[in-house]
Amino acid sequence: MTMRERFYTLAADALEADPRVAMVFAEIGVAQMPRHPRMYNVGIREQLMISLAAGLALEGFRPVVHSYTPFVVERPFEQIKLDLGHQDVGAVLVSNGASYDASHAGRTHQAPEDVALLASLPGWTIQVPGHPDEVERVFAQALTGDDRVYIRLSEEENHAPVNGDGLVVLRDGSNGAPLVVAVGPTLGETLVATADLDATVAYLATVRPFPREALRAALRGTDVVLVEPYLAGTSAAEVSAALSDRPHRLLSLGVRNEEFRHYGKPAEHRTAHGLDAAGIRASLERFLGRVPPGRAPVSDTVAMS
């Protein structure tokens, strides 16, 4: 079962179990949901989808909004900023499609900028699960509160869930070894890329609020590598803020900030952005000074402090 399929099951169960929960969809996903008096389909009106959710929140409901990533975040961004944020009401936004899952549908269904956009607004918890079991945990947590939560689903997933909240260290390197932080579904490729490398490898699914203290505690040298499944450098400022009093170097890997005018398969997009195991390893070797500069993927973004 994919993350998206798990979400539909969880959403249907939540409607039956919790009278506070209301679902607000804009056509996409409606066919996978049961008929229910608190299941609202506004049609292809994504701005209305957010405004309706805000109205439901004002009436004491816990609204859950769902669509493709650009239709949840980019198209109704003004309503997210004003109807939810400025009015200080909560909702759970759940997207699918991630950065390039819908590669066959073209740029209209892709939004690698989504986390950066929502992170520009105050008061958001942003979850990037890497496995369907993690979706179940973060969705259950989100329903219990009244805050603003974004859950980013993807067809890419890790082989197994990671238990624990915050920054979870999965492999310890020696003193001075680089710290490699894999976000959400990038963990599987990152583990392959670092299998024989002396590095501390950590996993992160909750990217806002960013775990600054945990990052400081995990870093045993000066080098940090951040592998994100969306726009490269989205959390670079968070890393720099966490380490503002410590000498450090940061390599940010992710989806490059260029127009990628290709269709194809998601795996081909992952490779093109240097987010497969080979691409991550090549970027690591260049960052650590082990190969000539010409071998690095064009998606590398290196910041030095």
Side-chain angles (χ1 to χ4, degrees), residues 263-285:
Y263 288 82
K265 300 177 181 179
E268 293 171 327
H269 281 238
R270 184 194 312 129
T271 297
H273 291 296
L275 291 175
D276 61 347
I280 294 169
R281 181 56 179 251
S283 296
L284 281 168
E285 290 180 344

Side-chain angles (χ1 to χ4, degrees), residues 111-123:
E113 313 86 1
D114 59 333
V115 173
L117 273 173
L118 281 183
S120 72
L121 299 176

Side-chain angles (χ1 to χ4, degrees), residues 158 170-171 179-197 199-203 225-229 253 270 274-281 284:
N158 304 319
L170 302 177
R171 182 190 302 157
L179 170 62
V180 182
V181 180
V183 174
T186 68
L187 178 61
E189 299 292 326
T190 300
L191 287 174
V192 174
T194 60
D196 60 346
L197 187 69
T200 297
V201 180
Y203 176 71
V225 180
L226 184 63
V227 188
E228 299 176 285
L253 302 178
R270 184 194 312 129
L275 291 175
D276 61 347
I280 294 169
R281 181 56 179 251
L284 281 168

Side-chain angles (χ1 to χ4, degrees), residues 8 60 169 196 198:
Y8 291 140
V169 175
D196 60 346
D198 180 16

Side-chain angles (χ1 to χ4, degrees), residues 50 72-73 76-82 84-85 93 118 121 124:
I50 299 297
V72 167
V73 176
F77 184 71
E78 184 178 12
Q79 284 70 35
I80 293 172
K81 180 180 71 175
L82 299 177
L84 293 177
L93 309 187
L118 281 183
L121 299 176
W124 281 90

Side-chain angles (χ1 to χ4, degrees), residues 240-251:
S240 294
L243 303 173
S244 60
D245 61 335
R246 294 169 59 174
H248 65 279
R249 298 194 310 152
L250 171 62
L251 170 65

